[in-house]
Amino acid sequence: MIESRVPLEASIAARNKKGPGDPHLRSISEVKRYHIHATDGEIGDVTDIIVDEHWIIRFLIVDTGSWFPGKKVLLSPEWIKEVSWADSSVEVDVSVEAVKNSPKYNPNQPLAENYETDLFLHYDK
């Protein structure tokens, strides 16, 4: 039996070749590095994304890092005004002050049933 082999370089090039896919799709691992900009300043970086059982994005988990040390907050994708793929940034329709006073998110605890309601009320959404 004669095997047909493709050189490794050609195989890798074919696998990495960009297809006619949606130019707006990004992997979660790429978006995790995006910077978040509020209406009046920078507030942190996306560290993860919460999706529901239907693969709908429910929240961006934002680490406020040096802006508000030790705090992680959730932001709804409904509050996104603009995404800049080139700048790896997301602009959201909330203020820095609202994020600063936002209910803290603890990834080690399940979301309470009323957390989402409280979050939307906090941001006046």
Side-chain angles (χ1 to χ4, degrees):
M1 173 190 254
I2 300 175
E3 275 188 34
S4 173
R5 294 190 180 221
V6 177
L8 180 60
E9 293 81 13
S11 176
I12 291 171
R15 189 172 52 216
N16 291 335
K17 190 174 185 182
K18 300 280 185 194
D22 188 334
H24 301 290
L25 293 178
R26 296 292 185 271
S27 73
I28 288 176
S29 61
E30 180 179 340
V31 175
K32 281 183 183 181
R33 300 185 302 257
Y34 280 30
H35 305 288
I36 302 289
H37 298 275
T39 54
D40 54 349
E42 197 163 341
I43 56 173
D45 300 312
V46 176
T47 59
D48 214 342
I49 295 174
I50 296 176
V51 297
D52 68 14
E53 65 275 4
H54 304 290
W55 290 99
I56 295 172
I57 296 173
R58 303 293 298 156
F59 296 105
L60 303 176
I61 300 174
V62 178
D63 184 347
T64 58
S66 60
W67 294 272
F68 313 114
K71 186 170 185 178
K72 289 189 180 192
V73 297
L74 298 183
L75 297 176
S76 171
E78 295 177 25
W79 307 335
I80 295 174
K81 289 172 46 177
E82 184 178 339
V83 177
S84 172
W85 306 122
D87 295 336
S88 298
S89 66
V90 178
E91 185 180 337
V92 291
D93 189 24
V94 298
S95 70
V96 170
E97 190 66 25
V99 171
K100 181 178 180 181
N101 297 317
S102 174
K104 189 174 181 177
Y105 169 68
N106 184 346
N108 298 320
Q109 294 179 346
L111 290 178
E113 196 170 302
N114 61 341
Y115 184 88
E116 186 171 359
T117 302
D118 292 345
L119 192 66
F120 275 72
L121 287 172
H122 170 77
Y123 285 109
D124 201 25
K125 302 290 183 185

